[in-house]
Amino acid sequence: MSESTLHLTADVLVIGGGPAGCWAALAARRAGASVVLAEKGYVGTSGATPPANTTLFYTVPGDRLQNDGMVDHRVAPAKGFIVRDFVRRVYDETTVNTELMTRWGYPWPRNETGKTFRGNLRGPDYMIFLRKRLLAEGVRILDHSPALELLTADGVAAGAAGITRRTGDRWEVRAGAVVVATGGCAFRSGVVGTHNLTGDGYLLAAEAGARFSGMEFSGQWALAPAEGGLTKGIIYFSGSFSDADGTPIPHPAVPDALAAGRSVHAVLDRADPYLEDGYRKGQPNIFVYFHRLGGNPFKDRYPVRLLYEGTVRAAGGLDVDERCATSVPGLYAVGDATTREKLTGAAMSGGGPAVAWCIASGTWAGQAATAFARQFAAGAAGLAGRPVQPIGGAGLRPAAKPDPERTAEAVTRAVQQEILPLDRNYRRTGAGIAAALERLDGLWEAARDGLAPPAGATPRDVVRAREAAALVATARWILASAGQRTETRGLHRRADFPGLDPAQHHHLLSGGLDRVWVRRADPHEEAVAA
Amino acid sequence: MIELILSERCIACGTCAKVCPDDVLRTDAAGEPVIAHKEDCQTCYLCELFCPVDALYVSPRTAPDPTVDAAALIAAGLIGSYRRELGWARGRPGGTETDLSYRMHEAFTEPFGEIWKRSGI
């Protein structure tokens, strides 16, 4: 492996190049900041968006039906916590920025009446469009360059260090502010678009002292064809389900049937030809499965399975304020890396709200990070000489002697055994959570002490070790929070507490590494009134 | 998972290795792509999409697919089928302007479907 290190300085460093990271970088650049964007994969293909075709929610100025409908629609599934004014702010900000996309030349489709339709962003086209815009605006992109740890200066985020996977070269960016845009965590469950979403940014931020909110609302499982990994739920608006014998199963009962080990089949038999055409020509990524393996999903029953999407399309994540600042000075978070409780409550966030949130949160964080960098870090000129401390621990700097048995693969498999089995995790129990947490606490200690890339490690080994540590940490924040919420609410399902408890209308904050903590926080005022 | 690299079509441009989100593909000394870490393939088809000459095939199965047969796939017109469905050509985006996804949103329960029908700006 090469020993050379790329040293850069920037007003704002963005870690993660999915849509939220791209919008953060664009907003910071437009506010006058110098910007480096470091992405684990390739900006344009990495993360949940590029393999998908994503719904986008926004408001239309002066259209009351549209605006109130969009906002009100979120209230019932949210089961509390949603803040209407906040939802409206997110959708309004999205409208402003889709207008920017129009000026930049985005080729919006038109509906039958000739109006442009902005309710959808086709993943690969959208991400390559943003990549080109980033380059045009002068953002420095580091592809295939995962961040391994944050740098701090007196407790203030001051940059990050990482590795370039293709060469093994190290990189270090000193920055006046840092934006975490690393997405959620799906525990390598096999969902298309989530393979490199392993909670890396959560671990980086938690090591600096950042906290989380709503990690118990991470019970997001999604349907996929039995041998496929694409979890697009929209087609099932037109679907019917049945068991192996053909006995109908109502849509809401499908997850429990699968968790009980029953075989479930789907068929999209409720779509008329007009809509079928819309599905096929709107979501080709779904139909490539049937096209290549044979069968017509609009006529033939096909077996389905549930895959865990973790925090990617769920609600929980890093706790941020209205400017998307975390509890660590100089550290911001955007998109799926953050909690989305004020936007979607206890319900799933993807796609419409989540795609809007990437645009709005990215914009707000990019602006706020630029202001922070100017005010507190004296700009890029003052950054290079500032004494900084690298703060990465588990998986990077073992606390004791490295244990060759403690490989990234073994640690990852051990986490998956706790968090992926459908029968134990679709509906959790207090006893099951406690037992899993005890095993995960032991795994964390072992990983902290002994997980390290082996001698002669490839860059891939280095990255995998750090990802494995992030997976363990994320599973513990999820389960510790899930243990404290003794009710069923939205994406949080307890077999031992099947009802919603109005007395638990509070947020659960969490954090910590060696000692995971969970505490209650009051919900937003408007959420109580709702 | 990625199953085929059709070397007779490949022009060794390196794009598939460059765009792979998780380092599944590498290029060898001659610049030809090799499947270096098949276990990390997430079946996203993005290498196919960016390939300018339809030289790759990703099976929709998320586990290794022993049924893949290059000659049969070529005969069935399935090499590059995802790219053609989207309207991309030579590794460049295309086809967004003819996306019919709005029809799915129109099918939402009212008043949401009605909102989308009239939601153009």
Side-chain angles (χ1 to χ4, degrees):
Chain A
M1 213 192 305
S2 164
E3 292 297 314
S4 70
T5 301
L6 172 70
H7 291 276
L8 296 172
T9 57
D11 293 320
V12 175
L13 167 66
V14 181
I15 302 173
C22 290
W23 282 103
L26 287 170
R29 194 75 196 96
R30 293 208 313 277
S34 57
V35 182
V36 173
L37 172 60
E39 160 58 41
K40 179 154 70 168
Y42 177 82
V43 177
T45 63
S46 192
T49 297
N53 190 354
T54 57
T55 300
L56 169 68
F57 285 1
Y58 56 89
T59 50
V60 177
D63 184 337
R64 269 199 72 188
L65 172 66
Q66 164 95 14
N67 297 348
D68 293 344
M70 280 289 168
V71 176
D72 292 346
H73 163 74
R74 300 309 314 175
V75 175
K79 308 289 178 203
F81 305 149
I82 194 167
V83 179
R84 278 193 181 83
D85 283 352
F86 183 79
V87 180
R88 186 175 294 268
R89 272 187 66 216
V90 170
Y91 292 174
D92 285 353
E93 185 66 56
T94 302
T95 306
V96 170
N97 285 288
T98 56
E99 191 55 46
L100 263 181
M101 286 180 66
T102 306
R103 276 192 245 156
W104 294 337
Y106 193 79
W108 300 105
R110 290 175 185 278
N111 69 12
E112 259 85 18
T113 66
K115 282 182 175 174
T116 58
F117 180 74
R118 301 186 183 181
N120 226 83
L121 288 165
R122 218 166 63 170
D125 311 68
Y126 171 43
M127 292 309 302
I128 286 299
F129 182 84
L130 290 181
R131 180 185 180 90
K132 286 183 177 158
R133 197 67 221 167
L134 289 164
L135 293 171
E137 297 274 356
V139 171
R140 174 85 184 259
I141 297 176
L142 305 179
D143 290 311
H144 298 292
S145 298
L148 295 172
E149 62 183 328
L150 287 184
L151 309 174
T152 58
D154 293 328
V156 178
I163 190 167
T164 303
R165 332 194 263 197
R166 295 293 160 89
T167 60
D169 291 344
R170 300 283 173 153
W171 59 264
E172 186 185 287
V173 179
R174 305 277 184 100
V178 178
V179 181
V180 172
T182 48
C185 177
F187 298 92
R188 295 214 198 280
S189 66
V191 174
V192 173
T194 68
H195 189 74
N196 61 9
L197 301 179
T198 47
D200 310 1
Y202 295 159
L203 180 58
L204 263 57
E207 285 172 337
R211 67 183 183 219
F212 301 85
S213 181
M215 293 301 274
E216 71 277 25
F217 300 123
S218 54
Q220 169 58 25
W221 299 76
L223 285 166
E227 294 182 273
L230 196 80
T231 53
K232 289 290 293 185
I234 197 164
I235 53 174
Y236 297 111
F237 282 109
S238 304
S240 305
F241 299 90
S242 51
D243 68 10
D245 302 328
T247 308
I249 300 175
H251 192 167
V254 166
D256 282 310
L258 286 163
R262 288 170 72 191
S263 158
V264 177
H265 293 70
V267 57
L268 311 178
D269 57 356
R270 295 185 192 176
D272 61 19
Y274 174 83
L275 179 55
E276 178 179 331
D277 219 27
Y279 281 131
R280 288 187 184 276
K281 296 204 173 98
Q283 308 274 331
N285 53 340
I286 297 176
F287 298 100
V288 68
Y289 180 88
F290 304 100
H291 190 200
R292 291 184 177 182
L293 298 186
N296 177 355
F298 293 93
K299 291 200 169 64
D300 310 325
R301 297 195 320 146
Y302 61 94
V304 292
R305 61 173 169 172
L306 279 175
L307 293 176
Y308 188 44
E309 295 184 323
T311 61
V312 175
R313 277 208 285 190
L318 286 162
D319 189 32
V320 290
D321 70 9
E322 296 202 330
R323 303 159 305 140
C324 295
T326 70
S327 46
V328 177
L331 187 64
Y332 298 78
V334 293
D336 291 354
T338 69
T339 179
R340 286 138 284 170
E341 291 159 290
K342 272 163 58 177
L343 184 61
T344 61
M348 76 173 274
S349 59
V355 174
W357 176 237
C358 287
I359 296 174
S361 65
T363 302
W364 297 338
Q367 292 164 350
T370 301
F372 184 93
R374 285 216 181 100
Q375 197 173 348
F376 295 100
L383 297 172
R386 188 162 61 148
V388 298
Q389 193 182 359
I391 59 165
L396 191 63
R397 293 189 187 87
K401 193 166 175 283
D403 174 359
E405 300 290 302
R406 202 61 66 181
T407 64
E409 286 69 24
V411 170
T412 300
R413 271 197 306 277
V415 179
Q416 289 176 321
Q417 280 163 18
E418 302 301 340
I419 207 118
L420 294 185
L422 181 62
D423 57 343
R424 281 190 282 135
N425 288 295
Y426 184 73
R427 292 186 193 281
R428 302 183 193 274
T429 64
I433 291 167
L437 261 181
E438 198 179 321
R439 291 188 292 269
L440 285 166
D441 285 346
L443 189 64
W444 170 259
E445 282 180 28
R448 177 201 61 197
D449 291 348
L451 175 62
T458 64
R460 181 176 180 275
D461 295 329
V462 173
V463 176
R464 286 290 183 265
R466 195 66 169 140
E467 289 171 337
L471 292 172
V472 185
T474 306
R476 291 165 75 226
W477 296 313
I478 287 174
L479 287 173
S481 301
Q484 293 298 310
R485 189 174 285 286
T486 52
E487 62 164 347
T488 290
R489 187 186 290 262
L491 292 174
H492 174 68
R493 302 173 211 89
R494 287 283 296 259
D496 45 356
F497 295 98
L500 185 145
D501 175 6
Q504 295 190 43
H505 200 137
H506 49 253
H507 291 296
L508 289 176
L509 304 180
S510 58
L513 293 164
D514 288 341
R515 271 205 187 160
V516 168
W517 56 265
V518 179
R519 68 177 165 83
R520 292 180 178 201
D522 291 336
H524 190 278
E525 260 174 61
E526 186 183 337
V528 177
Chain B
M1 280 185 159
I2 177 97
E3 293 290 348
L4 294 177
I5 297 172
L6 302 169
S7 56
E8 67 279 13
R9 293 186 180 194
C10 177
I11 55 169
C13 66
T15 303
C16 57
K18 184 178 80 173
V19 304
C20 175
D22 211 12
D23 248 2
V24 173
L25 297 161
R26 292 292 181 112
T27 47
D28 66 14
E32 301 243 349
V34 291
I35 302 172
H37 287 287
K38 183 165 173 168
E39 69 276 23
D40 289 330
C41 177
Q42 62 169 354
T43 317
C44 63
Y45 312 112
L46 289 164
C47 55
E48 280 191 26
L49 194 56
F50 281 80
C51 177
V53 292
D54 291 345
L56 301 143
Y57 180 79
V58 176
S59 162
R61 292 190 163 98
T62 55
D65 188 346
T67 71
V68 168
D69 177 89
L73 290 166
I74 291 168
L78 289 176
I79 306 286
S81 66
Y82 179 51
R83 175 191 70 67
R84 287 193 297 276
E85 285 290 317
L86 282 184
W88 282 46
R90 296 191 173 82
R92 297 223 164 87
T96 287
E97 63 282 2
T98 55
D99 184 341
L100 297 187
S101 290
Y102 61 86
R103 291 190 185 176
M104 304 181 320
H105 303 302
E106 287 173 5
F108 284 131
T109 48
E110 300 299 347
F112 220 51
E114 182 58 31
I115 288 171
W116 281 120
K117 270 180 208 163
R118 43 174 289 189
S119 70
I121 298 180

